[in-house]
Amino acid sequence: ESFWSGLIVEGSPVLGWSPDGKIIAALGTGPAKDFRGLGKVVFVDTATGSQRGIDFGPPLLGTAVGWLDSATVVVSALDKSASPLQLWTMSYPQGVFTHLTNDVNTYAGLSLPRDRSSLVTGRSEVTLGIWTSDSSASRWDAVNANVSVRGPIGFALSWSGGDLIHMSTIGGQLGLVRTRLPAGTAEMLAR
């Protein structure tokens, strides 16, 4: 197992000291399987140097880890490579992960004061807008403007006859959407 001890991302260290100073939690990876390492939270005992890794997700695990108390670690991490960074709590030493945040925003980095009475993180919001025009580009029509998107999904869109196929949200659910022009109606094709 390996861990990132000196990496600083968006101002936050990717490791955290336990409240009693006896354990360091760090983000890292385990042995590569078929050239794909698995993201882990690696715990290092400061007295013995022994390590214990708890599997979490894709190779690019996250940006920061910190201890809320002696039995709870908070992690800024991905659970899938196409998801935005979210905040997770993890029970220690059991290794059970639970969403602290679960939305379309990205939460990168975290910091806790010495008394662990609060937590601060950076939140990034992404919106997408699609407009159409005729070949003269003299008039633009909004298909959907300022729609929140989740994660690094890209901005691909395609015509299918008179319909526009694109990523969007309907009822708060992200998915592949067909917008019928010029009626402006939209339907979810796949989530």
Side-chain angles (χ1 to χ4, degrees):
E1 294 177 336
S2 62
F3 56 93
W4 306 299
S5 62
L7 182 64
I8 303 293
V9 179
E10 297 196 23
S12 295
V14 294
L15 54 85
W17 288 86
S18 64
D20 63 7
K22 294 181 178 180
I23 301 172
I24 299 172
L27 303 180
T29 61
K33 295 178 183 176
D34 301 323
F35 303 106
R36 293 178 53 144
L38 184 63
K40 293 180 176 273
V41 178
V42 179
F43 295 92
V44 180
D45 184 302
T46 59
T48 66
S50 65
Q51 297 180 22
R52 175 178 177 235
I54 297 177
D55 293 348
F56 183 71
L60 300 175
L61 175 66
T63 64
V65 61
W67 293 77
L68 293 177
D69 56 41
S70 62
T72 311
V73 175
V74 64
V75 180
S76 169
L78 305 169
D79 64 336
K80 298 177 213 141
S81 60
S83 296
L85 289 163
Q86 295 291 302
L87 295 180
W88 298 79
T89 58
M90 186 195 82
S91 61
Y92 178 81
Q94 298 83 4
V96 177
F97 288 88
T98 306
H99 273 283
L100 185 59
T101 60
N102 190 18
D103 55 34
V104 297
N105 300 311
T106 295
Y107 297 88
L110 63 96
S111 182
L112 297 146
R114 186 178 307 229
D115 68 1
R116 291 163 168 70
S117 61
S118 60
L119 178 144
V120 65
T121 186
R123 182 175 81 182
S124 174
E125 299 176 10
V126 178
T127 58
L128 170 69
I130 300 172
W131 290 265
T132 62
S133 178
D134 61 17
S135 60
S136 70
S138 60
R139 188 184 106 208
W140 290 88
D141 297 313
V143 174
N144 69 350
N146 300 322
V147 175
S148 294
V149 295
R150 178 182 169 128
I153 62 168
F155 300 102
L157 49 120
S158 180
W159 288 104
S160 176
D163 299 341
L164 185 61
I165 310 296
H166 57 96
M167 295 299 292
S168 188
T169 55
I170 295 179
Q173 296 291 316
L174 175 69
L176 188 62
V177 172
R178 174 175 40 207
T179 300
R180 298 188 180 272
L181 300 176
T185 61
E187 69 175 308
M188 184 72 67
L189 297 176
R191 288 191 180 101

